[in-house]
Amino acid sequence: MSLERKDDYDHNAWLQEKDLSPVETTFLTALIWMDKRLRIVDYLEILESLYYRVNLQMPKSHTEQYNLDNKFWYWYPLYTLGLFSTLSYIVAAVSGALLGFYYSPATTGDPTTAYTQIEFIMTELQFGFFLRSLHRWSAQVMVAAVFLHMLRVYFTGSYKEPRELNWILGIILISLTMGFGYTGYLLPWDQLAFWAGQIGVEMALSVPLIGEWAAQLVFGGFTLSQATLQRMYILHVFLLPFIVTTLIAIHIGIVWVQGIAEPH
Amino acid sequence: MTDNNDNTTAETDGGTGIVAPDDETPTWSERKARKTGLSRLTYEYFERSRREDQDLRTESDYVERDVLGFPTWPHETVRNLSIASFFVGMIFFLSATLPPHIGPPANPSSTPAIILPDWYLYWSFGLLKLSPVNPELSILGGQKLMADRTYGVLANVVVVGFIAMVPFLNKGSARRPVEQPFWAAVGVGGVVFAFTISVLAVQNLVPMNIDLLFDLTFLLPIVAGIVTYAVLKTMREGYMYDLNRRYYRLRPPR
């Protein structure tokens, strides 16, 4: 008996007898080397199902089945508005995270720190002007796409049974999207932002019974101050992102489970 | 080693409380088939609906064919990726060509002439300016029931609440606007109202008599709704004809 380790399955002899091309030899040698260390063979099943999933044939869609194809293609853009709003949400999230490196929600100083930081982003920072522009435009596009998405769903009757809950979830999402827009609108702390905030406080105060409590909770007081800006900031960059991302995931998940309501 | 077979309370599970299943241990299907109460009901319902689905599947004459559409890769994936990059490119193009403006810094002591939220909140802002239609109740001596601002906030709640109710008001299998002219008319009226109420919100920028603007805000949506209804009703004739043609070809009307 030698002390030299034996290859139990004699992979080398097997490789010899296969008469492989250099590419195949390299691939197989690398695969065996990796498999000895990482037990890839255990995960082969997953890889296999992935392979088949990637090579899936899409089933015949409703439009194909009912031969609506030639009439349907020009409606197609209306059916991709949901994707469009999700995409712009992602663009807004990325550009917003980058903006967050430079912005600070403080009303100290004259003009305020928040305002001067926006000025800094727009004038000094490399690509800062474009970054702010990108964030703002993706937000605008998201709101527009969400509105149009809602109209499409309305006019094609896609909210009907069994999709009522997703319709209501959509209404919650559109409201939160506008909340996103509103809180973001206040962050530069310029004249428009300040007075839009003023209107917000007045609206909150005029709600019967819970008005003062709501104003205190959302705006941090009955007049605009550091607390207001701070709260808008946290709503905009912490609270709303978590809630909205989760709800979007549920919204799309329900669409996945129930299937797309295609026109009849 | 001594064997303590007589000691029945000896711990054989290593103190974990986990014991191997014997004949008395319920199987998973027994556990699932709850015996009483709500869990029993839930179990029965799911079993029934599963059986129902299976029956439907057996009855169905739908044939699943093997190759009917495009493959996910590359066709669908490439199409989706190209649509996605086109959209993102559009956003980049917009933001490069039309960068935003920043106004003067906040100044609590000077109210600007024009106070506006972003465009998508104009409708909500417009609903705050409904004071002329806030009813004055004679029972309260011509007093308004609620402050104008409260009325505006309430209007927001009513609008959003109505939209949320739509699936519970409009039922049935009609999908296309031609199949449901009334609800399509409501929709068009709503869209037009969203526009007119937004214009009302920026009333001090519109070169028009305020009273006329206010009236148009409510009249235009109604007119648009009626026109839509009429048009769709007319279209419906031809549409139903197309739908029925096959039927009549089989059994011609007398």
Side-chain angles (χ1 to χ4, degrees):
Chain A
M1 280 181 77
S2 80
L3 288 174
E4 198 180 324
R5 296 177 66 187
K6 274 268 177 62
D7 186 346
D8 285 341
Y9 299 98
D10 205 0
H11 292 303
N12 282 326
W14 178 66
L15 277 178
Q16 292 291 326
E17 111 195 7
K18 293 285 280 184
D19 189 26
L20 299 166
S21 71
V23 177
E24 288 167 330
T25 319
T26 319
F27 171 74
L28 264 184
T29 316
L31 188 66
I32 291 167
W33 192 88
M34 295 289 280
D35 189 40
K36 275 185 183 162
R37 285 151 185 84
L38 301 175
R39 296 298 300 165
I40 294 172
V41 72
D42 292 348
Y43 304 97
L44 269 184
E45 208 172 309
I46 298 171
L47 287 177
E48 207 172 309
S49 60
L50 266 181
Y51 173 83
Y52 284 111
R53 229 165 262 174
V54 163
N55 287 291
L56 257 184
Q57 296 284 330
M58 295 297 274
K60 200 169 190 177
S61 72
H62 187 94
T63 36
E64 284 165 326
Q65 210 175 325
Y66 290 89
N67 222 356
L68 294 166
D69 258 18
N70 44 359
K71 296 153 208 151
F72 185 65
W73 66 268
Y74 46 76
W75 295 112
Y76 193 79
L78 298 182
Y79 284 79
T80 195
L81 283 163
L83 168 72
F84 197 8
S85 41
T86 314
L87 276 176
S88 40
Y89 180 65
I90 293 168
V91 173
V94 172
S95 57
L98 293 176
L99 283 174
F101 291 158
Y102 303 102
Y103 175 80
S104 70
T107 54
T108 47
D110 186 37
T112 57
T113 311
Y115 187 83
T116 49
Q117 280 306 105
I118 299 282
E119 253 183 357
F120 164 78
I121 288 170
M122 289 177 73
T123 54
E124 311 275 321
L125 184 67
Q126 290 280 357
F127 286 113
F129 199 76
F130 178 71
L131 200 59
R132 174 162 185 250
S133 182
L134 188 61
H135 189 66
R136 195 180 157 80
W137 269 110
S138 53
Q140 307 272 321
V141 162
M142 180 182 172
V143 177
V146 165
F147 263 109
L148 294 175
H149 177 62
M150 192 176 89
L151 291 186
R152 197 279 292 166
V153 168
Y154 181 87
F155 284 111
T156 56
S158 309
Y159 52 79
K160 290 188 172 181
E161 191 190 328
R163 300 188 172 79
E164 300 100 327
L165 287 179
N166 224 13
W167 170 259
I168 290 173
L169 186 50
I171 288 166
I172 296 171
L173 267 173
I174 200 175
S175 314
L176 288 177
T177 306
M178 288 190 284
F180 241 131
Y182 180 76
T183 50
Y185 191 69
L186 257 54
L187 293 185
W189 213 242
D190 57 356
Q191 272 291 67
L192 276 177
F194 185 86
W195 292 98
Q198 194 65 46
I199 290 172
V201 174
E202 284 169 17
M203 273 180 78
L205 280 175
S206 62
V207 175
L209 300 179
I210 57 160
E212 295 190 356
W213 178 81
Q216 189 73 47
L217 180 71
V218 179
F219 294 95
F222 303 149
T223 54
L224 299 191
S225 63
Q226 170 66 42
T228 315
L229 186 57
Q230 193 100 36
R231 280 175 197 225
M232 288 299 132
Y233 181 69
I234 290 301
L235 284 177
H236 191 78
V237 306
F238 183 77
L239 218 54
L240 282 174
F242 275 111
I243 297 170
V244 171
T245 308
T246 314
L247 289 186
I248 287 177
I250 297 172
H251 195 68
I252 294 174
I254 292 176
V255 172
W256 190 0
V257 168
Q258 296 186 330
I260 296 169
E262 285 182 278
H264 288 257
Chain B
M1 228 174 137
T2 48
D3 211 356
N4 270 356
N5 268 342
D6 54 318
N7 186 359
T8 48
T9 55
E11 282 186 3
T12 53
D13 57 357
T16 56
I18 302 169
V19 286
D22 58 4
D23 292 345
E24 315 250 309
T25 315
T27 63
W28 283 108
S29 45
E30 277 167 357
R31 274 178 220 246
K32 259 187 356 186
R34 304 301 175 91
K35 296 295 188 299
T36 51
L38 288 180
S39 52
R40 175 72 201 170
L41 271 181
T42 314
Y43 170 76
E44 275 178 18
Y45 169 71
F46 279 132
E47 286 303 309
R48 277 182 60 86
S49 57
R50 207 170 294 152
R51 203 179 317 131
E52 233 171 66
D53 280 2
Q54 190 49 46
D55 289 351
L56 281 176
R57 250 175 249 127
T58 347
E59 278 171 27
S60 165
D61 57 348
Y62 177 78
V63 187
E64 278 194 37
R65 278 153 285 194
D66 286 339
V67 180
L68 294 167
F70 292 118
T72 313
W73 173 263
H75 300 69
E76 294 285 334
T77 315
V78 165
R79 190 195 62 177
N80 291 350
L81 279 180
S82 54
I83 289 173
S85 38
F86 176 71
F87 280 160
V88 175
M90 260 167 56
I91 296 174
F92 270 67
F93 177 75
L94 271 175
S95 46
T97 46
L98 298 166
H101 157 84
I102 185 165
N107 183 2
S109 55
S110 84
T111 311
I114 298 163
I115 304 175
L116 281 180
D118 245 353
W119 59 269
Y120 46 80
L121 287 172
Y122 283 4
W123 64 271
S124 171
F125 197 50
L127 288 176
L128 297 181
K129 302 191 175 179
L130 290 182
S131 48
V133 286
N134 190 357
E136 295 162 2
L137 297 183
S138 52
I139 199 169
L140 298 175
Q143 286 282 308
K144 287 178 174 178
L145 188 59
M146 55 188 118
D148 286 344
R149 275 206 317 245
T150 313
Y151 187 74
V153 173
L154 191 70
N156 277 278
V157 175
V158 168
V159 166
V160 175
F162 175 74
I163 296 172
M165 296 266 288
V166 163
F168 306 100
L169 299 176
N170 178 19
K171 293 189 172 268
S173 57
R175 280 291 169 77
R176 297 181 176 186
V178 260
E179 293 168 352
Q180 38 178 355
F182 174 74
W183 283 96
V186 169
V188 169
V191 173
V192 173
F193 181 65
F195 273 103
T196 52
I197 198 80
S198 301
V199 173
L200 186 71
V202 292
Q203 53 187 229
N204 46 2
L205 302 182
V206 182
M208 194 192 274
N209 183 340
I210 295 282
D211 294 328
L212 178 62
L213 184 64
F214 196 85
D215 293 343
L216 281 180
T217 300
F218 295 96
L219 280 179
L220 279 183
I222 294 171
V223 170
I226 291 172
V227 169
T228 312
Y229 187 78
V231 168
L232 287 178
K233 269 286 190 187
T234 314
M235 282 171 67
R236 204 163 132 110
E237 300 280 315
Y239 177 75
M240 292 311 290
Y241 173 75
D242 274 347
L243 276 190
N244 289 335
R245 200 165 45 180
R246 232 176 99 79
Y247 175 79
Y248 286 127
R249 202 177 286 153
L250 294 174
R251 268 182 292 171
R254 292 173 193 185

